Amino acid sequence: METRRLEMLAELSRRGSMRAVADVLGTTTSTVSQQIATLSRETGTVLIEPEGRRVRLTPAGRRLAEHAVTILAAVEAARLDLGPGAEPNGTLRVAGFSTAVRTFLLPVITGLAAGHPRVRVLVREHEPAEALALLATDEADLALTYDYNLAPAADDPTVRTTPLWTAKWGLGVPARIDVPGGTTLDVFARFATAEWITNSRNTADEHVVRTLASMAGFSPRVTHQADSLDLVQDMIVAGMGVGLLPMGHETLPGVRLLPLTSPDVELRSYAVARHGRLDWPPLALVTGLLAARTGRRTAPPGADAYIRLP
């Protein structure tokens, strides 16, 4: 049933004549008659009956007119709720890697509880490829992903990417090992015979390790894999190998974090959404808050109106 026909039926119940309906809706009496006849066929129910030279609603017509008022109000509420200028309201599904969720998304969610209580955020922890797959199948509205400057992610024209923050990474090694300073390649060459620890669910850091090792003249032995940065540190302390760690991450007493420079190793994080979705107020709100919290001013169009940092 088209809402336009329901609107005509509701007006007929209020005004009592098709001419009055035509006048208020800016159309003709014959158009009103045709549209209500079509609505009658769609519902399989007689909606009007003759009453002298006029018509009146049948009991079924009156009942449908009551439903029409509710339906039209709901449609108008949906239009206002989903419009770019609407107050954010709804459930946002976010899939992202643990550091982004813990450090940036959770504070945003806490602020939403006070400033935008009608926005609910559902969180799923996933590595970038997993999060993007959920985005592609519409099982997530927003993906928090990352790549490295030495292992850039492939461009995807189906999504809109908002840069968030960057972080320098170093090489975590056992603290008992004395390593002289030098460039990244010097540091890597020192561990040409070591075992290496990389991520088990994302290949980006292994790509970085293999690229730098190749530049330093060796092929690394990647023997262990772990998603948790804390577990990587535990493995380093246990003497199981070396691995990349963020420079700002607190290290265990048994771990030494060596800077990597010339070339630098940088992780780059992003908020990713499908094209055409960023006008949805909850998505624009959260993306804008993440961009503002991380010091970026590249939030999607319209998001500034929703940025209300605590």
Side-chain angles (χ1 to χ4, degrees), residues 201-218:
R201 291 157 54 205
N202 186 38
T203 59
D205 66 328
E206 182 173 340
H207 183 82
V208 171
V209 167
R210 293 190 178 280
T211 297
L212 292 173
S214 176
M215 294 170 65
F218 70 96

Side-chain angles (χ1 to χ4, degrees), residues 173-198:
V173 305
R176 63 180 179 274
I177 299 178
D178 185 20
V179 181
T183 67
T184 294
L185 301 186
D186 294 331
V187 172
F188 262 60
R190 171 64 177 79
F191 295 94
T193 60
E195 295 183 74
W196 289 77
I197 307 164
T198 62

